[in-house]
Each structure stands twice: as structure tokens, then as C-alpha cells.
Amino acid sequence: MTPSRSEPAAIIRPDRANLFQKRHPWVFSGAIQYFEGSPTDGQIVALRDAAGQFYGRGYYNQRSQITVHVLTWEDQPIDQDFWRGYLQRAIQARRGEFERGDSPPAFRLINAESNGLPGLIVDRYGEWLVLQALTVGIDQRKAEIAALLMALIPDVRGVYERSDADVRAKEGLPSSVGLIQGEEPPTLITIEEYGLRFQVDVRAGHKTGFYLDQRENRRILRESVREFRLEGGSVLNCFSYTGAFGAAAWAGGAGSVMQVDSSAEALVLAQQNMSLNGFAVRDQDFITGDVFRVLRNFREQGQQFDLIVLDPPKFASSKGQVERAARGYKDINWLAFQLIRPGGLLFTFSCSGLVDADLFQKIVFGALVDAHREASILRRLTAPPDHPVALTFPEGFYLKGLVCQVW
Ligand code: SAH
């Protein structure tokens, strides 16, 4: 396509043009020499050099450190066909999810940069979609995107927005929550995950309501209880949220499951989720508290467990926080190693993208040595295929986990 004369353009500094060979979707202000035209925030701009060489096209935001989010490297218009095409491709990539057999299904439909759509997250919970618009460019087009999604997936009844993530502030956006298209979702949506049922609060729950990125790891935990002969054993699910790892442990044959979270509301839902699946609910098994303290108390009491899950929230959101995060990870892993019976398992995770897999393994190793235990890694875990990582966007890799057997 010949770009229209009126289309604004970001003119790339000659010494930065080589960056585009890597096709990273973020263009920082330092790479831009000047603008042709005066783009407004959210508007589509072409990326060119002063000689007119075309590099790509994306949406602009002067208020963000990422001045342009690239949508395409081809000289094509960003019109309804473009959005429909990318949404269709993301849906097609998830055919396996649509056919997995869980009913109602729950999975991530659009994973932002890694599905070629920077700033857009869409999760499916049965007949509803929950959308997060993390940038101005997506925020301005969310109604159009929601309408396209409803047309593409026939059994969807509504699209609900949960744009209340902290990153919105970096784009100069206030949070925005509510219905975008179709019907209001019920207060709680029941979903199925490998035969287990969970109630999801899409209006007020964390993220879009549920930690869909841990689905395969919960299945692996369930199988591990059997595989490592821990049936009848005691499980401690730390940072339990609404109890999903705990339900997986019960389903695998655990004899008791304790769930710890700082959020009382999350634990109310965790109790309901255990009942929903026919698992035992005893008040003393749901502990509202700080995991760091609860683990110390267990150590003082000499309590032991056959399997412990550590799935903490993101400890590091910036490079400056990595050291403190590392201390936090080390502390909880050090405590957990001391509480595990010989032959028992530790499922330990980090969802801080800034703590890479190598560093995380070193931290867990440090914790082990200080705990004077022995352990080996049985499995390395990450997010499932509905949370892909584009090779051009390594920042998309954030979730890593280790399954360790402890002696
Ligand atoms: N494992 C969960 C997801 C965990 S998300 C699942 O599979 O669904 C992290 C959880 O940790 C959140 O529910 C949050 O409320 C809780 N949390 C954060 N800091 C905590 C702390 N210091 N002690 C206990 N829980 C904490």
C-alpha cells in the first residue's frame, strides 16, 4: 500500500535502523529522530527513515516510554481487516484449547505482543471473554476489537473489561472496568479445568479472575501425587489464591490440604471451590496470613508436609527490585525445604520476568544449601501454549517453576 500523505510518520535515527532487523515490537523515544505530521496519542504512525524507507506501522503514545508499539512490519493498512486477521490467527492457534473437552472451557485467547497484538490480553471463561487493554492504542479500539471477537466466536455472550492493571498508569491511562459488548457476566463464572470445577470472579478477582497460566502445572502436580506415591499425604499450598493447586492435590489423592493466602476473599472462594469438587473443607485448613510468617510458625511447631507449593506474586517489577526479590524467594524456599519430609516434593515458582530461569535456579540452590537438605530437579515448568512467547519478544517469558524431590 502507498501510505497516504496525511499519515503521520516517526522518522527513525539512522544509527538505530539496524534495531528493526530484530523485529522487537517496542520502539523507544530515543530511536526516533523526528515526526512528520503531528500524531495524537493512540494514532497509527508509519516507521520510516529520512530517505523514505519503510520499516513498520504501529500505534503512537507520546506519554509512554514506548513511543510506538509496532503492529506490522509489512506495508499494510491497520484497518478492520488487519485486526480481524490477527484475532483469527490467535483463535486458530488455539484450536486445541477449543477442543480440550473441559466445559465450560477457560484459556487465554490473546497474549499481547506474543500474538502480534501489543497491549491486548483476552481470556476466555466459558461464554464470556475478559479483556485487558494495557495501552492507549488498544484502549481506543477496544469496542471494535470486542465486537470482532463476538463475531468470530459464536458462543460468546459478552466481553467484560478488566483494565485495572498497574501498567496502565505508565501509559497515562486510568483503570477501566465494566461491560464492553453483549451481556453482563454473572457474579461468579464456573469453569472446568481437567475435570475440576472452579468459580471465577471476573469482576474483582486477580488479573482477569484466574491464574490460567498455571493450568498445566496444576495437572502435573495432580499426576505427581500419584507418581511419587504421595497419596494420603499432607499438602501445603502457599499463595493459594482460590485454591486451584489445592484442588489438584486433592484430585491426585492427597490426604489433607492446607491453603495459605493473605487475601481473605480469595480463601472464601477457595473453600467454595473445594466444596464444589466434593473435597473436605475444614476451617483450620484455610489460613489467612503472610506466607513468610506462617512457614516460620510451622517450622517452630516442627510441622512437616509431603508436598509444598510456593506460587508467590511477582516480587520484582523493576531491575532495582531484583535483589530484594531474590532474598524473598530464597527465604520462602529455605523455609519450605526444612518443612518437607524426605522423599517429598516442592513445586516452586517465580513469575517475575526480571528473575530469569538461571537466577531462579541459583536462588533455590542457595536456599537448599542453607537448609542443609538434598534435592534434585525432577521437572522444569512454564506457562502452557495458550500463553506463547514470541521469539522476537523474550520479555514475554516470565513464569518458571521447578519440581524438586527433597531428601
Ligand atoms: N497459586 C494460585 C495463584 C497465586 S497468585 C493459583 O494457582 O490460582 C499469588 C497469591 O499470593 C495471591 O492470591 C495473593 O493474594 C497472595 N499473596 C501475596 N503476598 C502474600 C503473602 N505475603 N502471604 C500470603 N499470600 C500472599
Side-chain angles (χ1 to χ4, degrees):
M1 161 201 153
T2 321
S4 71
R5 270 171 198 272
S6 58
E7 182 185 41
I11 305 302
I12 299 306
R13 287 173 48 155
D15 58 333
R16 299 295 173 89
N18 59 345
L19 280 177
F20 290 105
Q21 285 171 3
K22 295 187 180 166
R23 299 205 159 188
H24 194 285
W26 293 349
V27 180
F28 291 90
S29 56
I32 298 168
Q33 201 166 19
Y34 62 93
F35 285 93
E36 276 177 17
S38 4
T40 53
D41 288 346
Q43 201 180 349
I44 301 297
V45 296
L47 294 161
R48 280 195 261 123
D49 65 16
Q53 162 82 38
F54 176 88
Y55 290 106
R57 193 164 272 124
Y59 56 74
Y60 167 77
N61 181 6
Q62 172 230 322
R63 299 176 69 173
S64 167
Q65 281 186 21
I66 303 168
T67 310
V68 179
H69 283 84
V70 182
L71 293 165
T72 180
W73 303 98
E74 309 297 325
D75 197 355
Q76 60 171 333
I78 308 298
D79 51 13
Q80 208 181 54
D81 286 345
F82 167 86
W83 295 104
R84 189 188 295 107
Y86 264 79
L87 296 174
Q88 248 166 346
R89 194 169 91 175
I91 292 168
Q92 197 186 358
R94 288 163 175 79
R95 261 192 304 224
E97 299 290 347
F98 282 89
E99 291 159 12
R100 186 151 45 88
D102 279 334
S103 175
F107 56 88
R108 176 150 295 186
L109 198 62
I110 313 282
N111 197 33
E113 276 82 351
S114 293
N115 281 123
L117 295 167
L120 178 66
I121 300 278
V122 182
D123 288 338
R124 177 177 190 187
Y125 295 103
E127 296 169 295
W128 275 270
L129 301 181
V130 182
L131 180 151
Q132 285 189 320
L134 303 174
T135 57
V136 171
I138 294 297
D139 196 67
Q140 290 179 357
R141 294 166 180 84
K142 62 192 177 194
E144 182 191 351
I145 290 169
L148 284 168
L149 284 167
M150 285 199 58
L152 288 169
I153 312 172
D155 51 351
V156 165
R157 288 168 65 182
V159 182
Y160 192 79
E161 181 178 20
R162 278 297 304 279
S163 300
D164 48 352
D166 296 342
V167 291
R168 295 254 302 185
K170 293 189 186 174
E171 286 265 318
L173 284 167
S175 73
S176 169
V177 172
L179 189 69
I180 312 182
Q181 283 280 331
E183 296 168 46
E184 283 277 348
T187 314
L188 294 173
I189 298 179
T190 304
I191 56 122
E192 192 176 299
E193 179 181 283
Y194 291 117
L196 294 171
R197 294 172 88 74
F198 297 103
Q199 292 189 318
V200 180
D201 180 353
V202 297
R203 293 155 198 269
H206 296 176
K207 305 216 279 186
T208 62
F210 199 64
Y211 289 85
L212 295 170
D213 54 355
Q214 290 283 25
R215 180 189 70 225
E216 291 305 314
N217 301 330
R218 289 188 283 257
R219 182 179 58 78
I220 288 168
L221 179 138
R222 176 176 176 171
E223 287 165 5
S224 300
V225 171
R226 282 193 283 260
E227 194 180 345
F228 294 92
R229 299 282 169 271
L230 300 175
E231 293 108 328
S234 56
V235 172
L236 177 62
N237 182 18
C238 298
F239 308 96
S240 69
Y241 188 49
T242 56
F245 271 110
W250 279 121
S256 68
V257 179
M258 275 197 175
Q259 320 239 25
V260 187
D261 202 282
S262 53
S263 157
E265 298 90 67
L267 286 175
V268 168
L269 215 43
Q271 290 211 10
Q272 289 182 27
N273 283 332
M274 295 317 108
S275 308
L276 191 62
N277 292 287
F279 303 135
V281 175
R282 299 183 307 173
D283 282 346
Q284 67 266 32
D285 289 340
F286 298 84
I287 303 170
T288 311
D290 175 17
V291 164
F292 290 81
R293 286 212 197 144
V294 172
L295 290 176
R296 282 192 161 73
N297 285 344
F298 281 145
R299 189 179 54 145
E300 275 158 31
Q301 294 159 9
Q303 197 133 348
Q304 296 270 286
F305 297 91
D306 295 296
L307 191 157
I308 297 181
V309 181
L310 296 175
D311 183 23
K314 186 156 89 175
F315 282 165
S317 306
S318 66
K319 280 190 184 149
Q321 294 172 354
V322 169
E323 218 177 286
R324 200 166 152 260
R327 280 200 297 275
Y329 287 123
K330 184 169 175 188
D331 196 38
I332 50 175
N333 280 280
W334 173 70
L335 288 161
F337 276 129
Q338 298 171 70
L339 298 180
I340 295 178
R341 285 199 187 93
L345 299 182
L346 173 65
F347 278 67
T348 182
F349 297 94
S350 161
C351 61
S352 306
L354 291 160
V355 174
D356 66 20
D358 263 8
L359 176 58
F360 184 56
Q361 185 174 325
K362 282 184 185 129
I363 295 167
V364 175
F365 161 70
L368 175 81
V369 171
D370 287 3
H372 306 293
R373 297 293 297 269
E374 282 178 44
S376 33
I377 297 170
L378 305 181
R379 284 179 193 274
R380 291 168 199 281
L381 306 176
T382 187
D386 54 331
H387 293 65
V389 181
L391 277 164
T392 47
F393 188 64
E395 293 85 347
F397 175 62
Y398 65 97
L399 181 65
K400 56 248 152 230
L402 298 171
V403 183
C404 297
Q405 190 165 36
V406 186
W407 298 100

